[in-house]
Amino acid sequence: MPRSPVKRPPADLDLSRALRTVEQLPETLTSQSLFGNDHPLEIEIGSGKGLFLSREALEHPETNFVGVEIMAKYARHTAARLARAGVGNAIAISGNAEPLLEKRIPAGSLQAVHIYFPDPWWKKRHRRRRVVNETSIRNIARLLAPGGRFHFWTDVLEYFEQAVEMIAVTAPELGVPIPEEEIEASHDLDYRTHFERRSRKHQIPVYRVRYQTRSDASRSCRRVAT
Ligand SMILES: C[S@@+](CC[C@H](N)C(=O)[O-])C[C@H]1O[C@@H](n2cnc3c(N)ncnc32)[C@H](O)[C@@H]1O
């Protein structure tokens, strides 16, 4: 299904607070380095047009949100959405999430990682391009704080099943998969992401799961003890 086009934001809209390229980022990404406070930090990988990011940021002003989007025009669109809404606790990063997860975020520092409707890469030879892969799963497990959450939704059953199996083997410390219910919509336009809207409109089933690490300190204690 082709993606709907996005308009370039007006030139006079100030995106300097809401948009960063990878080159403009501090070396280490934390709430302090990005927002100048110590609020919990959540990251969305593949934030698309930024609906989830802007909604969550407005609903949770006590949490900081970062959306990483590899397509510059979508990152810009998200930043424009944040700027227009006057959101101060979220930014859009224009770039590839993978090296950021690998090297730029301190272990145990994220309250949540969100991945919604990642590109399916249908062809078998392209599957290694999927954003949920062994490396990203290991990184997500390493980066989550105690009690941290990993949310994963997709409309591709095979991707879902493969990811759940991969997580069980690669990162058992993420715990058991917790089925996540669709949040009850109050009206037709009440959806969390643009792809959720598309799935609903075309009556495509969505598979949703959440993982949550243990909230006690035993994960790190165990590591020290062995
Ligand atoms: C199918 S769209 C879903 C967008 C949004 N999450 C939603 O549900 O509406 C997947 C998005 O992930 C982005 N993406 C793919 N690989 C990425 C990567 N390595 N880093 C950041 N974004 C990525 C794509 O450009 C695309 O916008």
Side-chain angles (χ1 to χ4, degrees):
M1 238 184 282
R3 297 183 70 173
S4 51
V6 287
K7 274 199 214 142
R8 219 187 148 81
D12 60 353
L13 184 65
D14 180 9
L15 300 183
S16 57
R17 268 183 68 126
L19 181 65
R20 304 270 201 296
T21 61
V22 171
E23 296 70 35
Q24 293 167 333
L25 290 172
E27 192 48 42
T28 303
L29 309 183
T30 62
S31 263
Q32 196 51 249
S33 71
L34 293 168
F35 298 93
N37 60 44
D38 291 319
H39 294 178
L41 184 62
E42 304 197 5
I43 185 165
E44 185 186 10
I45 300 171
S47 43
K49 295 180 186 172
L51 183 61
F52 174 79
L53 198 70
S54 55
R55 256 184 89 149
E56 285 292 296
L58 283 168
E59 281 174 21
H60 302 281
E62 73 299 342
T63 300
N64 294 322
F65 294 87
V66 168
V68 190
E69 173 50 57
I70 205 164
M71 289 186 69
K73 64 181 176 183
Y74 291 125
R76 232 180 2 250
H77 185 81
T78 296
R81 188 189 282 279
L82 298 174
R84 279 198 195 96
V87 173
N89 59 326
I91 58 167
I93 296 177
S94 177
N96 185 354
E98 288 176 5
L100 301 181
L101 294 182
E102 183 76 31
K103 295 198 182 95
R104 308 277 291 271
I105 303 172
S109 68
L110 296 179
Q111 195 53 52
V113 175
H114 304 263
I115 301 184
Y116 300 123
F117 302 91
D119 296 319
W121 295 109
W122 294 106
K123 290 187 184 156
K124 224 172 182 169
R125 67 176 189 279
H126 291 158
R127 298 245 168 104
R128 62 198 161 78
R129 298 183 192 173
R130 287 180 169 177
V131 295
V132 181
N133 56 48
E134 284 185 2
T135 306
S136 67
I137 290 168
R138 262 189 227 108
N139 283 330
I140 290 166
R142 180 175 54 82
L143 298 178
L144 284 178
R149 303 164 345 255
F150 171 40
H151 300 263
F152 170 53
W153 303 354
T154 175
D155 53 1
V156 180
L157 179 59
E158 177 273 325
Y159 195 164
F160 181 79
E161 289 176 340
Q162 198 198 37
V164 168
E165 217 177 290
M166 210 185 267
I167 291 167
V169 174
T170 311
E173 65 271 38
L174 284 178
V176 295
I178 304 163
E180 203 157 60
E181 294 301 316
E182 181 172 355
I183 296 158
E184 204 167 320
S186 54
H187 51 81
D188 272 2
L189 294 176
D190 186 10
Y191 41 82
R192 311 301 287 181
T193 86
H194 275 94
F195 272 69
E196 185 181 45
R197 174 193 185 208
R198 234 163 69 142
S199 304
R200 193 181 295 165
K201 196 166 154 197
H202 298 285
Q203 299 187 326
I204 299 168
V206 176
Y207 309 96
R208 300 163 204 259
V209 74
R210 177 178 80 245
Y211 290 86
Q212 185 147 15
T213 62
R214 293 173 61 146
S215 53
D216 55 52
S218 63
R219 289 197 314 150
S220 46
C221 292
R222 235 183 294 135
R223 222 174 279 144
V224 171
T226 52

